[in-house]
């Protein structure tokens, strides 16, 4: 799906595909340096992190295994509900493993805070976070995020795995939608 395919539904492109690709390559180099000589389990948070996880994994030189976890704190709208539930747990025992959580976006941090506590209780050797996007102005809890691709304004964004009503995930960029899309 391309920018022009959205027509009037697209308000703005915030981060281009080239900018994402370049930043993921930089993050991969930093992650490779951090885990030099160690095996790493990368844990993607479904569904949004699919694109980030796939592209980051391909950019890494470090040997990795992958697993997925699905947790939810969102309904069909644009605001977090604050209630977290596990939709799909890990298939892998993470005890004594180096675990890297791969996120698409961190806004309030409430869901990720819950996930860190949950995974931390499983006794990994290390537990770090990489996220493509972070909204510092939306943070409600302080989370130590080791790697951040881009800090963005506190706006609802779509593309590169992020959706609105399960649409727009396949955009190769991150953008904002026009108000009429939300019924405004």
């Amino acid at each position: 799906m391309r920018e022009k395919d959205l027509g009037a539904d697209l308000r703005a492109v915030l981060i281009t595909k080239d900018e994402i690709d370049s930043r993921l390559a930089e993050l991969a180099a930093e992650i490779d340096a951090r885990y030099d000589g160690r095996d790493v389990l990368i844990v993607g948070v479904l569904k949004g992190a699919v694109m980030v996880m796939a592209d980051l994994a391909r950019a890494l030189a470090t040997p990795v295994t992958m697993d997925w976890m699905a947790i939810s704190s969102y309904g069909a709208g644009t605001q977090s509900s604050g209630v977290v539930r596990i939709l799909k747990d890990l298939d892998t025992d993470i005890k004594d493993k180096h675990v890297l959580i791969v996120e698409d976006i961190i806004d309030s941090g409430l869901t990720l805070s819950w996930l860190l506590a949950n995974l931390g209780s499983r006794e990994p050797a290390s537990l770090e976070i990489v996220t493509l996007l972070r909204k510092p102005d939306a943070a409600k809890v302080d989370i130590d995020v080791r790697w951040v691709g881009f800090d963005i304004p506190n706006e609802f964004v779509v593309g590169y795995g992020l959706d609105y009503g399960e649409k727009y995930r396949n955009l190769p960029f991150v953008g904002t939608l026009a108000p009429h899309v939300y019924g405004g």
Side-chain angles (χ1 to χ4, degrees), residues 67-182:
D67 203 346
W68 296 93
M69 191 163 188
I71 57 177
S72 177
S73 68
Y74 284 88
T78 62
Q79 298 294 316
S80 173
S81 68
V83 177
V84 179
R85 45 188 192 123
I86 296 177
L87 305 176
K88 184 220 172 287
D89 206 345
L90 297 174
D91 296 324
T92 308
D93 179 5
I94 64 170
K95 183 174 173 58
D96 298 325
K97 294 189 176 164
H98 296 284
V99 177
L100 177 61
I101 298 170
V102 179
E103 271 281 26
D104 52 351
I105 189 166
I106 300 171
D107 47 36
S108 72
L110 295 171
T111 304
L112 186 55
S113 176
W114 180 91
L115 181 61
L116 283 170
N118 182 288
L119 295 182
S121 72
R122 302 179 195 194
E123 303 177 24
S126 67
L127 185 59
E128 305 274 7
I129 303 162
V130 59
T131 186
L132 179 66
L133 306 171
R134 178 176 61 182
K135 296 180 184 177
D137 294 339
K140 293 184 179 174
V141 293
D142 187 32
I143 295 176
D144 183 22
V145 180
R146 180 89 182 213
W147 296 282
V148 176
F150 302 92
D151 281 330
I152 63 170
N154 190 14
E155 295 183 72
F156 190 78
V157 294
V158 296
Y160 203 72
L162 297 154
D163 75 300
Y164 175 67
E166 293 299 324
K167 296 179 182 174
Y168 309 106
R169 288 189 195 278
N170 59 326
L171 296 173
F173 56 84
V174 174
T176 56
L177 297 173
H180 75 265
V181 175
Y182 305 111

